[in-house]
Amino acid sequence: ARERKQINIMKFNTSTVLFMAGACAPVIASARPLALSRSAFLTPGRGVSTAATSASRFASSGTRPSSGLSAASGSLPVKCGEEVMSQKKHGTSDVPVQSDLLWGCDRELADRICNFNRHYAEHAGYWATTKYLSEVDRANPTDYYDSNTGKLLFTAPVGRSMDNYIEESNSHGWPSFRDEEVNWDYVRCLPNGECVSVDGTHLGHNLPDSSGNRYCINLVCVAGKPV
């Protein structure tokens, strides 16, 4: 019998969410690679209202501001309903992921997580196993694009150093963005914390800590090229 190929991903469980939500949490040592065929676990809803930062989105990066949805509005994250993640032509999206993702990200893994998944993630630390750390610009903010549509979703670092961004992301196991680093034209959060694009791409989860909202995002979901 042909052996079924397994794609290593991580499922968020109660311990994971509570552990990661704490400040200065280390990489989860007990994270286990799981397959998408395993039953999904709904991430428990959390209160995500926090004091918004006073800086305008992307103020220090030179990137264009969003249309009125800045961190100063006090209404972050911008919410959406389940209709955004309704079934479309290709899972929850109209299109599959791009054929040539940045940083050597695995396309099959990306397509499953972006378009046929609501509760799983690439395994903790996956981003550090790609070419990302050796190729990312250390001197200037980097734009991160939807792996499906190529739309701008995040720009980082903003209002902090690259070392701080890398340190926080490494500590939590996934690229971790703050309110002012999100392009709210195209990013939304569901009440349970799931972070998605307006086009139906699953991105990750908002796991707030003592500093505010923290968007833990799968690198494979933001490894697209602008179109």
Side-chain angles (χ1 to χ4, degrees):
R2 184 174 61 183
E3 183 178 7
R4 181 181 178 183
K5 182 179 180 181
Q6 296 292 307
I7 300 297
N8 284 343
I9 59 177
M10 177 180 171
K11 183 171 69 174
F12 282 90
N13 55 40
T14 305
S15 298
T16 300
V17 173
L18 293 178
F19 187 75
M20 291 181 65
C24 303
V27 173
I28 304 167
S30 60
R32 292 185 299 132
L34 297 174
L36 260 178
S37 57
R38 295 285 298 272
S39 59
F41 182 92
L42 288 172
T43 304
R46 290 181 52 89
V48 293
S49 296
T50 61
T53 62
S54 59
S56 295
R57 189 180 70 81
F58 302 153
S60 64
S61 70
T63 307
R64 61 166 181 79
S66 68
S67 54
L69 298 174
S70 69
S73 68
S75 58
L76 302 180
V78 179
K79 300 291 185 62
C80 70
E82 282 290 334
E83 67 278 359
V84 173
M85 299 300 286
S86 63
Q87 289 298 301
K88 303 180 183 70
K89 296 178 182 178
H90 189 76
T92 56
S93 305
D94 281 328
V95 295
V97 299
Q98 297 175 5
S99 59
D100 187 19
L101 297 176
L102 295 174
W103 309 303
C105 288
D106 184 277
R107 186 174 186 270
E108 183 179 357
L109 175 64
D111 199 50
R112 292 194 181 195
I113 291 180
C114 289
N115 300 317
F116 300 95
N117 159 64
R118 300 293 304 280
H119 315 293
Y120 289 82
E122 64 197 22
H123 65 77
Y126 170 84
W127 69 294
T129 70
T130 68
K131 299 176 183 177
Y132 174 80
L133 289 175
S134 62
E135 295 182 353
V136 69
D137 190 336
R138 300 292 182 124
N140 302 290
T142 294
D143 290 334
Y144 298 83
Y145 297 91
D146 191 317
S147 291
N148 287 323
T149 66
K151 292 179 179 178
L152 175 63
L153 301 181
F154 302 93
T155 295
V158 172
R160 55 176 170 169
S161 68
M162 185 62 173
D163 286 344
N164 178 271
Y165 162 75
I166 293 292
E167 180 181 4
E168 180 174 65
S169 298
N170 185 58
S171 175
H172 300 298
W174 291 268
S176 297
F177 301 94
R178 297 293 178 170
D179 286 334
E180 60 270 26
E181 296 171 328
V182 184
N183 181 0
W184 294 110
D185 286 345
Y186 300 127
V187 177
R188 297 290 185 268
C189 281
L190 279 83
N192 69 353
E194 183 184 5
C195 188
V196 302
S197 80
V198 296
D199 296 295
T201 307
H202 173 85
L203 302 174
H205 287 80
N206 177 25
L207 300 174
D209 62 7
S210 60
S211 297
N213 292 317
R214 185 181 76 241
Y215 307 95
C216 296
I217 303 300
N218 296 288
L219 186 66
V220 296
C221 301
V222 293
K225 297 178 180 179
V227 296

